[in-house]
Amino acid sequence: MIRPVSLGVPLRRGTKMRNLLRLLLIAGFASYSLSDPFLIEVTEDDGDDGDDGYGGYRLPGIHIPSSYIINLQVSADVFSGDSTAFNGTVVIDFQVTDETDNIQIHAPVDVDAVSLQGDGQAINISDYSSYNSTTAILTITAEEVLTTAVNYTLTIEYTGVLRSSNMNGFYRSEYYESDGTKHYLVTSKFEPTWARYAFPSFDEPQLKARFTLVLIYPRNLSLSALGNTPQQSVEDVDDEYEKVTFGESPVMSTYLVAFIVSRFTCSAGANLTDEVPYQVCSRPETEGDRAWAVEVGPPPNEGPGGLY
Ligand SMILES: *[C@@H]1O[C@H](CO)[C@@H](O)[C@H](O)[C@H]1NC(C)=O
Ligand SMILES: *[C@@H]1O[C@H](CO)[C@@H](O)[C@H](O)[C@H]1NC(C)=O
Ligand SMILES: *[C@@H]1O[C@H](CO)[C@@H](O)[C@H](O)[C@H]1NC(C)=O
Ligand SMILES: *[C@@H]1O[C@H](CO)[C@@H](O)[C@H](O)[C@H]1NC(C)=O
Ligand SMILES: *[C@@H]1O[C@H](CO)[C@@H](O)[C@H](O)[C@H]1NC(C)=O
Ligand SMILES: *[C@@H]1O[C@H](CO)[C@@H](O)[C@H](O)[C@H]1NC(C)=O
């Protein structure tokens, strides 16, 4: 079950952004044209790479992920405003529907290392330097042909850059307490195609999988982490970092992965169902303003699963 979380991220700019986005969307639909790569008619893929009617923007659709383990690490320098760097390791289980020695994956990050296993056996990688910055697609080439009915595990270690002037992808935001202290937080906004900026992924909505999120952040800054699912464990990594592991998500699209690492605290409301708690989280200073949201927030318990 997905745990809904109301976030008290500073809203002024977000609201403006959303209104602007709405306007852009309306403008976008008004100028709908076949040359727009995101709004073209859906046609059968002829399987010819780069000549598939999508201008090379679509993944080939032959790598089918089943699960991701996403490890993201953010240093103290980010929470002091001195850095926008982060690093991560993503582990993806997938199968192929056609024989191929290539893996095409969205990866607009700096890839430090790639490894691949087929049914637990290491497979050498001959190349992962072929990256197209227009389509954000990285091509990884294996030394052997990948075949159907084998479970492959792809591991990518990488470094990335948090956005700090746009509130999308994996971004750093900031706010002031009333005494003038400035605090930083990091959080996500992945819809429609921003998940790839946080973790290399088959970042198309139909390529659904289960996600396990692991967030690693400084121990000593009063930070805590929220994600789609309840926390499963909180451990100290070393003197500097602590690590939160969240429960595995249901099968869902990449863009639904969501998280925040901040100094926010939470007020619990009545559970939505036996399994799904409800809480409202915000800056500690605004704790007194949460009561109303705690009371009226839970949506009517309707539809399959009660929530959506
Ligand atoms: C990257 O992809 C775009 C869109 O398909 C294509 O026009 C361009 O030639 C590609 N660039 C390289 C270096 O292959
Ligand atoms: C981030 O980089 C550090 C230093 O190389 C490394 O020890 C750590 O495991 C990396 N974290 C992740 C989540 O990959
Ligand atoms: C993988 O590469 C290593 C080093 O180049 C080589 O020794 C090994 O034989 C290769 N393994 C396979 C299965 O090709
Ligand atoms: C591959 O993984 C699936 C579950 O994702 C499992 O049912 C199947 O037994 C695995 N196959 C092999 C050969 O390990
Ligand atoms: C927290 O730890 C980091 C890294 O060890 C250090 O740079 C920072 O000054 C510490 N902050 C506090 C508030 O102790
Ligand atoms: C609410 O849900 C949580 C998490 O599933 C559970 O531990 C707790 O017992 C529930 N509380 C009530 C009052 O049902």
Side-chain angles (χ1 to χ4, degrees):
M1 276 297 163
I2 299 183
R3 175 205 291 229
V5 171
S6 304
L7 298 174
V9 183
L11 272 184
R12 209 153 37 87
R13 190 156 149 224
T15 309
K16 261 190 218 153
M17 289 258 305
R18 268 195 297 280
N19 287 336
L20 183 62
L21 269 177
R22 248 177 238 136
L23 285 176
L24 285 174
L25 279 176
I26 293 162
F29 283 117
S31 65
Y32 176 97
S33 87
L34 285 180
S35 65
D36 186 326
F38 297 106
L39 291 172
I40 53 178
E41 231 171 77
V42 176
T43 52
E44 278 294 303
D45 187 339
D46 62 9
D48 215 356
D49 281 353
D51 183 23
D52 57 2
Y54 298 106
Y57 282 86
R58 294 291 301 272
L59 297 173
I62 59 172
H63 311 93
I64 312 298
S66 55
S67 69
Y68 291 71
I69 302 172
I70 306 158
N71 300 272
L72 298 173
Q73 182 158 356
V74 182
S75 73
D77 287 347
V78 166
F79 293 96
S80 62
D82 295 322
S83 169
T84 50
F86 73 96
N87 70 312
T89 302
V90 66
V91 181
I92 309 173
D93 287 339
F94 70 98
Q95 291 199 336
V96 296
T97 57
D98 282 309
E99 293 198 346
T100 178
D101 61 0
N102 282 330
I103 303 165
Q104 279 87 13
I105 188 164
H106 292 112
V109 293
D110 283 331
V111 174
D112 299 320
V114 176
S115 64
L116 181 66
Q117 293 197 323
D119 285 341
Q121 301 296 307
I123 297 171
N124 284 346
I125 299 292
S126 54
D127 183 57
Y128 60 86
S129 62
S130 172
Y131 175 66
N132 186 318
S133 58
T134 305
T135 59
I137 294 174
L138 172 71
T139 299
I140 297 166
T141 306
E143 279 184 8
E144 50 187 86
V145 173
L146 311 190
T147 58
T148 59
V150 172
N151 288 336
Y152 292 100
T153 303
L154 175 68
T155 303
I156 303 177
E157 290 170 46
Y158 59 96
T159 52
V161 179
L162 295 160
R163 286 165 183 266
S164 52
S165 51
N166 289 304
M167 295 170 99
N168 57 29
F170 185 11
Y171 68 91
R172 190 188 72 185
S173 189
E174 66 208 49
Y175 61 89
Y176 292 92
E177 294 285 14
S178 53
D179 67 1
T181 321
K182 190 175 193 177
H183 291 298
Y184 291 87
L185 58 85
V186 296
T187 187
S188 65
K189 195 285 179 194
F190 290 162
E191 194 177 8
T193 56
W194 298 104
R196 61 192 66 172
Y197 289 88
F199 59 99
S201 46
F202 301 101
D203 194 12
E204 293 185 359
Q206 80 284 10
L207 296 171
K208 296 180 169 67
R210 295 180 187 277
F211 297 86
T212 301
L213 185 63
V214 180
L215 298 175
I216 303 161
Y217 53 86
R219 284 171 61 166
N220 61 356
L221 301 177
S222 306
L223 297 166
S224 64
L226 295 165
N228 300 77
T229 54
Q231 292 185 350
Q232 224 163 42
S233 67
V234 184
E235 320 159 47
D236 290 339
V237 177
D238 52 28
D239 286 349
E240 209 176 331
Y241 288 103
E242 73 183 28
K243 169 168 120 173
V244 172
T245 304
F246 293 90
E248 189 176 58
S249 78
V251 174
M252 63 186 201
S253 297
T254 43
Y255 68 72
L256 288 176
V257 175
F259 56 85
I260 179 169
V261 180
S262 71
R263 295 165 59 94
F264 289 0
T265 56
C266 301
S267 301
N271 283 2
L272 301 181
T273 70
D274 287 347
E275 288 170 276
V276 183
Y278 172 70
Q279 55 182 348
V280 179
C281 306
S282 69
R283 290 180 287 129
E285 274 197 339
T286 61
E287 184 180 351
D289 298 339
R290 291 182 205 143
W292 193 65
V294 167
E295 190 186 322
V296 304
N301 198 12
E302 287 170 353
L307 295 177
Y308 296 97

